[in-house]
Amino acid sequence: KIRGYRIELGEIEANIQQSGLVKQSVVIAAPDGNGNKRLVAYVIPTEQYDQASLKTFLQANLSDYMVPTIFICLEKMPLSANGKLDKRALPDSSSFISAEYKAPETPTEQKMAQLYQDILNVERVGVEDDFFEMGGQSILAMRLIAEIREVFDFPLSVRDLITSPTIAALSDIIDNGNKDKGLLVALSKIKPDQQSVFMVPPVLGSSLVYHKLAQILERKGLNCYGLQHRGFDYGEDYDADIPTMAQSFYEEINTCQPDKDQQLLIVGYSMGALIAYELVKVLEANDYSCKLVLMDRGVSTPKTLIRDRIRNPYNEKSAPEELLLLHLEATEIRFHPKEEQRVKGLLAHNLSLTETYTQKGKLKADILGIEASITNQRNKMKGWKSFTKGKLTHCFVEASHFKMI
């Protein structure tokens, strides 16, 4: 397994052969400089071989996690004394980043390259090498963002890194201020004619929590987008209330997906379920067809607000700190100490919104309510039936609230 996914090396090798660009290939899982496994393809190229073309072919036929990170060209495969492939004699891949290395040139690129090398623990990084393809996980991503802000005194965002993961692209943002100001980011490879999924963030404010889920849904042929709360990045004012958040997200979706013939899949986890409900109200009012997936959040009515205040009295000072610790314990997301204060501010704001929000009106959309089975409040998703004219399907997953995604 790599990053929790079962890898079929034979299937990858078969697809490499089907490309017609190589004579022979072997794929192995080898450790990078951090000890994390990554896929390495050793190939004997044909005269038509082009690494970019091969990678594009594989990306069109395999899930992203099954596309090799490194491609190493050989004149011949090493063989043992009995004529079989000797994998132990294959060249060491730990220092390889890309067969098409392009050196950093500008001062910004050179500083960025050093940050990539230090954080990814590799010897060399080209300006077109992808941070995530090199093994960058969400923990390392937050560390890189913190380091960039420290070195360059520039408010780089999570969204910037996801959409521009190469040194060249990030350097352009830093040097020219070409930041993406939107609240929407692609969490998967986007392909035409596939159904789109829009994932609404929980109280933490970032769709990074959906990263693993997006990889699974991508295998099912879905285009996955994540939304982000205003205020998660520097220099942004918070949305005033949950309906305002929904309106902001609608504007992003309407720009990204103007075709109203395709049904949209809207996913909301925890507080994100309340925002997703409001978002679907706005989408339906603008002639979109939706299906709603809500995860482990009950309805918010005057009655439930009173009940929840009795069960879980809100402490304005301690709640954001405690909730952040729970999220960090359950996910791979980590924040620099300077980042934590800003995120705690957003958490406090979002918690205060859930203390006063009550929902009104029925949707047309069918709802799938997914509930964590390890909970003190069983069957909380059933209340959603009162808020849709469509069908409510209610199911459980064997997990706690913070571990279910």
Side-chain angles (χ1 to χ4, degrees):
K1 287 188 176 183
I2 295 181
R3 302 180 194 175
Y5 297 103
R6 186 175 299 280
I7 304 297
E8 297 294 338
L9 299 178
E11 182 181 353
I12 302 171
E13 292 169 355
N15 274 272
I16 291 176
Q17 294 301 129
Q18 289 170 13
S19 73
L21 297 172
V22 304
K23 299 174 184 177
Q24 188 180 353
S25 66
V26 61
V27 179
I28 65 171
D32 61 15
N34 288 310
N36 299 313
K37 284 186 177 180
R38 61 181 177 180
L39 291 173
V40 180
Y42 295 88
V43 302
I44 299 177
T46 65
E47 292 182 0
Q48 294 77 34
Y49 177 78
D50 175 72
Q51 180 178 303
S53 297
L54 175 57
K55 198 164 187 178
T56 299
F57 177 85
L58 296 177
Q59 289 171 335
N61 290 279
L62 296 170
S63 298
D64 277 356
Y65 67 88
M66 290 181 68
V67 176
T69 302
I70 305 296
F71 295 85
I72 300 175
C73 292
L74 304 175
E75 291 185 3
K76 61 180 180 179
M77 293 292 177
L79 302 177
S80 62
N82 60 8
K84 293 184 178 181
L85 176 67
D86 185 357
K87 291 186 177 181
R88 291 178 297 179
L90 290 167
D92 180 18
S93 65
S94 61
S95 62
F96 280 83
I97 293 299
S98 172
E100 299 178 355
Y101 173 75
K102 184 179 178 182
E105 296 178 353
T106 69
T108 300
E109 289 178 348
Q110 291 168 358
K111 290 178 183 178
M112 286 289 296
Q114 189 61 55
L115 292 178
Y116 270 53
Q117 289 167 204
D118 292 344
I119 290 172
L120 295 170
N121 193 23
V122 295
E123 294 180 5
R124 188 181 75 168
V125 183
V127 296
E128 298 298 340
D129 292 318
D130 187 299
F131 177 80
F132 296 103
E133 290 183 1
M134 289 188 289
Q137 303 283 341
S138 48
I139 296 175
L140 297 178
M142 296 309 301
R143 181 182 161 195
L144 176 63
I145 290 167
E147 291 289 342
I148 289 173
R149 287 174 172 171
E150 189 76 26
V151 170
F152 295 99
D153 190 26
F154 184 86
L156 194 80
S157 68
V158 172
R159 183 173 59 239
D160 293 328
L161 180 57
I162 293 175
T163 57
S164 306
T166 66
I167 288 172
L170 289 179
S171 296
D172 180 59
I173 291 173
I174 292 169
D175 289 339
N176 301 308
N178 297 326
K179 284 174 63 63
D180 177 7
K181 300 294 185 180
L183 302 177
L184 187 72
V185 61
L187 297 178
S188 71
K189 185 167 49 187
I190 305 303
K191 298 179 181 179
D193 303 322
Q194 290 192 159
Q195 186 178 16
S196 294
V197 184
F198 294 92
M199 300 179 174
V200 182
V203 69
L204 190 65
S206 171
S207 52
L208 268 180
V209 296
Y210 292 114
H211 181 67
K212 290 183 178 179
L213 176 61
Q215 290 179 318
I216 294 170
L217 294 179
E218 182 181 6
R219 300 204 310 266
K220 306 294 184 182
L222 296 169
N223 290 333
C224 299
Y225 296 91
L227 293 152
Q228 180 172 293
H229 290 177
R230 294 193 195 280
F232 186 80
D233 286 331
Y234 283 110
E236 295 179 324
D237 294 328
Y238 304 139
D239 281 323
D241 50 41
I242 287 177
T244 303
M245 287 181 180
Q247 182 64 38
S248 296
F249 291 163
Y250 163 74
E251 291 168 3
E252 295 283 343
I253 293 173
N254 186 48
T255 301
C256 168
Q257 191 86 27
D259 180 9
K260 299 182 180 181
D261 293 332
Q262 184 190 82
Q263 186 181 58
L264 304 182
L265 186 59
I266 308 297
V267 177
Y269 159 65
S270 194
M271 176 192 178
L274 303 180
I275 307 169
Y277 160 80
E278 290 290 341
L279 173 58
V280 171
K281 280 172 62 176
V282 180
L283 286 164
E284 289 182 343
N286 287 276
D287 301 322
Y288 282 92
S289 172
C290 303
K291 184 169 183 178
L292 187 55
V293 179
L294 304 178
M295 292 189 280
D296 215 44
R297 174 72 195 213
V299 297
S300 184
T301 65
K303 182 177 179 180
T304 62
L305 283 179
I306 294 171
R307 181 198 65 200
D308 291 343
R309 285 178 189 137
I310 294 171
R311 290 181 177 177
N312 303 298
Y314 174 64
N315 184 316
E316 185 176 342
K317 292 184 178 180
S318 66
E321 180 112 13
E322 293 168 359
L323 194 55
L324 180 60
L325 289 174
L326 287 171
H327 271 287
L328 297 185
E329 182 182 337
T331 68
E332 293 182 342
I333 300 175
R334 296 293 183 273
F335 295 101
H336 187 277
K338 293 181 180 178
E339 302 292 298
E340 284 192 16
Q341 289 305 118
R342 178 174 49 79
V343 174
K344 285 176 188 175
L346 177 60
L347 278 169
H349 172 73
N350 286 343
L351 286 172
S352 70
L353 298 186
T354 63
E355 287 289 297
T356 57
Y357 168 76
T358 57
Q359 56 196 91
K360 299 175 183 177
K362 289 195 174 187
L363 307 175
K364 301 174 186 175
D366 291 338
I367 297 176
L368 171 61
I370 304 175
E371 186 170 335
S373 63
I374 303 173
T375 179
N376 294 324
Q377 187 184 342
R378 192 81 170 180
N379 292 320
K380 57 179 170 286
M381 303 301 294
K382 286 188 174 180
W384 285 99
K385 180 57 185 172
S386 300
F387 291 91
T388 180
K389 298 175 183 177
K391 179 182 177 183
L392 172 67
T393 303
H394 181 212
C395 65
F396 292 87
V397 294
E398 190 67 28
S400 66
H401 176 77
F402 286 99
K403 293 288 188 181
M404 66 185 299
I405 62 167

